């Protein structure tokens, strides 16, 4: 059994958006519902919490040194010192009930961003790719866009659509369902991939992170002391710590009393490292 340690008892309503920033030596993450941008510095244990002017859901690195952020209104820059946001693009201006959710940068520097309807009211979401040619639709009719990451060789892209419980695989420009998650598996949320190709999936309704082989088979289960587990990502100086965000949005007061670390940020020492996040170099968002 792995040692699971709470490093920030933040009591987040919906922790998400984990991103290791090697240059700054901090792990960024967000509380979507409470509108906070959090950071955690493993070297010192320092935690910060910055109020934001809008709902936020994910962050990404850009080669300009700026920090990209997904907000209710669209994609933008964020000043992590002041919380000021400068909007760059609204991917779905014709769908006011939609908002960006998760995003990640690909090995080639393109930014992938998924959307959803607020409250997950229907399959009106989509997945977009931002590159030198602009914004391209990659998938439509999704519910809650989550869990974007690539295999170590960059040949396999994984993507989660949470409500139908599908883990998608894109390889050689072809989409296929890697796994459809049943009730026993649980509802998949965020994911990340380690240096050996193992896929780590946060299970939002069962208090655990599952390790999957590249063909989608469960090879390890890590129990988290909070039922609502939302995201996972590697970080730390050696990239060998798996960080996990949690939430309290669907927990009762009794649930929280029994698990007072609910909504916290957790850290787990792993056997193999992950990798540093890729950095966006997309001209259209300069």
């Amino acid at each position: 059994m792995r040692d699971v340690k709470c490093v920030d008892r933040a009591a987040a309503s919906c922790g998400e958006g984990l991103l290791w920033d090697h240059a700054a030596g901090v792990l960024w993450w967000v509380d979507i519902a409470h509108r906070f941008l959090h950071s955690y510095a493993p070297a010192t244990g320092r935690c910060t919490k910055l109020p934001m002017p809008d709902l936020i859901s994910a962050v990404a690195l850009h080669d300009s040194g700026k920090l990209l952020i997904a907000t209710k209104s669209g994609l933008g820059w964020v000043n992590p010192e002041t919380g000021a946001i400068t909007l760059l693009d609204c991917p779905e201006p014709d769908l006011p009930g939609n908002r960006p959710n998760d995003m990640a940068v690909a090995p080639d520097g393109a930014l992938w961003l998924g959307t959803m309807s607020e409250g997950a009211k229907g399959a009106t979401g989509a997945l977009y790719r931002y590159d030198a040619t602009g914004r391209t639709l990659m998938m439509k009719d999704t519910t809650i866009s989550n869990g974007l990451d690539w295999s170590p060789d960059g040949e396999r892209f994984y993507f989660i659509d949470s409500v139908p419980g599908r883990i998608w695989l894109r390889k050689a420009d072809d989409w296929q369902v890697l796994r459809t998650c049943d009730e026993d598996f649980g509802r998949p949320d965020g994911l990340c991939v380690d240096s050996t190709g193992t896929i780590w999936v946060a299970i939002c309704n069962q208090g655990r992170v599952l390790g999957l082989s590249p063909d989608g088979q469960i090879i390890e289960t890590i129990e988290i002391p909070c039922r609502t587990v939302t995201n996972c990502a590697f970080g730390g100086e050696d990239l060998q710590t798996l960080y996990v965000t949690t939430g309290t949005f669907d927990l009762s007061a009794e649930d929280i009393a029994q698990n007072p670390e609910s909504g916290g940020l957790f850290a787990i020492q792993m056997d193999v490292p992950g990798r540093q996040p890729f950095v966006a170099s997309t001209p259209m968002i300069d």
Side-chain angles (χ1 to χ4, degrees), residues 25-79:
V26 301
L27 182 82
W28 300 108
W29 62 286
V30 307
D31 182 348
I32 296 178
H34 286 164
R35 302 183 181 186
F36 285 116
L37 175 63
H38 290 262
S39 75
Y40 169 67
T44 63
R46 181 172 183 261
C47 301
T48 69
K49 182 171 73 172
L50 182 67
M52 304 299 292
D54 200 357
L55 180 152
I56 58 173
S57 55
V59 287
L61 303 174
H62 190 267
D63 63 7
S64 65
K66 295 180 180 180
L67 192 63
L68 289 161
I69 193 162
T71 80
K72 184 177 181 179
S73 302
L75 177 67
W77 303 119
V78 62
N79 183 325

Side-chain angles (χ1 to χ4, degrees), residues 141-144 161-166 168 179-182 188:
D141 301 327
T142 61
T143 59
I144 305 179
D161 188 1
S162 290
V163 173
R166 295 191 188 101
W168 287 93
R179 179 163 187 146
T180 299
C181 308
D182 58 18

Side-chain angles (χ1 to χ4, degrees), residues 185-254:
F185 185 98
R187 187 168 70 246
D189 199 321
L191 69 72
C192 64
V193 182
D194 70 22
S195 60
T196 67
T198 297
I199 309 159
W200 297 95
V201 183
I203 305 301
C204 192
N205 61 341
Q206 293 191 3
R208 59 187 185 177
V209 175
L210 297 178
L212 307 184
S213 63
D215 62 356
Q217 301 305 305
I218 299 173
I219 57 177
E220 186 173 344
T221 300
I222 303 175
E223 301 292 341
I224 308 295
C226 175
R227 187 177 73 235
T228 307
V229 178
T230 52
N231 205 344
C232 54
F234 283 87
E237 187 68 26
D238 61 1
L239 295 168
Q240 207 159 321
T241 302
L242 184 68
Y243 290 98
V244 179
T245 49
T246 62
T248 57
F249 63 87
D250 63 349
L251 301 182
S252 67
E254 182 180 358

